[in-house]
């Protein structure tokens, strides 16, 4: 009989990557801007703390609004 392991959620996966590979680049935009797992984890936690500071509660819906984003296609 096998023992089921609990499923990891995205925040857990990001935390594990940041702990094991904090300097590994995750995002590279045209070689000009990069983001490592460590930086991503720090920024995600800063957003989470900011939401908690504004009395956001568990289960409350949060939206992300992006404006002025222009994507270039690479051939």
């Amino acid at each position: 009989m096998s023992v089921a392991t609990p499923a990891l959620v995205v925040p857990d996966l990001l935390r594990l990557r940041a702990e094991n590979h904090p300097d590994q680049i995750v995002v590279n935009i045209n070689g000009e801007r990069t983001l490592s797992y460590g930086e991503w984890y720090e920024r995600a936690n800063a957003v989470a703390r900011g939401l908690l500071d504004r009395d956001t509660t568990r289960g409350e819906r949060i939206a992300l609004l992006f404006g002025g984003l222009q994507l270039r296609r690479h051939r």
Side-chain angles (χ1 to χ4, degrees), residues 7-61:
L8 295 175
V9 293
V10 173
D12 293 335
L13 295 170
L14 178 56
R15 178 184 48 78
L16 288 171
R17 287 289 183 155
E19 287 173 356
N20 293 309
H21 308 284
D23 298 324
Q24 183 177 341
I25 300 300
V26 180
V27 178
N28 183 334
I29 302 171
N30 296 329
E32 297 174 18
R33 296 183 60 199
T34 61
L35 183 68
S36 69
Y37 278 114
E39 292 166 328
W40 186 7
Y41 184 68
E42 288 174 13
R43 289 180 184 193
N45 278 310
V47 170
R49 285 190 301 274
L51 292 170
L52 289 173
D53 289 346
R54 288 169 178 76
D55 297 323
T56 304
T57 59
R58 185 178 197 84
E60 192 169 347
R61 292 181 182 199

